[in-house]
Amino acid sequence: MVAFFEMIGGPALAFIGIALAVGLCCIGSAKGTGMVGEAATGVISVTPEHFTKCMILQALPGTQGLYGLAAGFFGLFAMGFFTGGVGPFSGVAFGDLGVAAGMSILFSCVPVMLGGLLSAIAQGRVAAASINIVAKKPDDYMKGVIMCGIVEFYAILSLVGTILMLMNVK
């Protein structure tokens, strides 16, 4: 097992973590926005004037995909991918990124991987349920947006956790 990790090296492990962070967050966002879109189409077919309110609710679970992308950029930055080959936090050249640093980047991406995936799906469920507010009391749709914002808070916390860990990769 050790030989395998030495063979693929630190950069490969770091790329795996970054790819999973971006990919899982985007999968969660796609699932969440899809659920809300399904719920919204019924309301829009009857009352098309509520399209904007439904679209706002649908966009909310999509932010986790952006958080995954931001974490991916921070991970690449920690690797030294954008800075001429030297990581600004670690001071290690990109090609010389060791297995330990690669594993650190991979595991630093875990909070946003899981937080982004699961919170996007949960937020999609809350937003889909909030479509009922638009259908029955359209002027109160901001209550649904606020409920979605509570779920969003935990996605933000997972992103912050990932960024803080990436800033300490040595």
Side-chain angles (χ1 to χ4, degrees):
M1 185 68 113
V2 173
F4 172 74
F5 285 125
E6 288 175 359
M7 183 179 70
I8 63 172
L13 292 169
F15 280 131
I16 290 168
I18 292 165
L20 285 171
V22 175
L24 290 176
C25 288
C26 288
I27 289 169
S29 287
K31 181 141 178 75
T33 56
M35 284 189 283
V36 182
E38 289 174 14
T41 54
V43 173
I44 294 168
S45 68
V46 176
T47 53
E49 64 271 13
H50 297 316
F51 172 75
T52 303
K53 293 173 183 171
C54 290
M55 187 183 68
I56 289 169
L57 286 167
Q58 185 181 17
L60 291 173
T63 57
Q64 281 83 338
L66 296 174
Y67 299 157
L69 186 63
F73 277 113
F74 272 93
L76 291 171
F77 190 66
M79 290 174 66
F81 191 79
F82 298 121
T83 57
V86 178
F89 308 131
S90 63
V92 175
F94 173 71
D96 297 332
L97 192 69
V99 172
M103 290 290 279
S104 295
I105 292 171
L106 187 148
F107 286 115
S108 294
C109 291
V110 168
V112 80
M113 279 181 214
L114 297 177
L117 172 69
L118 298 175
S119 68
I121 295 168
Q123 192 175 43
R125 288 186 179 129
V126 173
S130 297
I131 293 294
N132 291 324
I133 297 173
V134 175
K136 295 175 183 173
K137 294 185 176 186
D139 292 336
D140 290 343
Y141 89 101
M142 280 306 289
K143 292 176 183 176
V145 172
I146 291 168
M147 290 180 187
C148 290
I150 294 168
V151 180
E152 184 82 21
F153 176 70
Y154 294 98
I156 293 168
L157 287 180
S158 67
L159 174 62
V160 169
T162 290
I163 291 170
L164 290 175
M165 286 192 280
L166 285 171
M167 289 176 63
N168 289 301
V169 170
K170 300 278 185 236

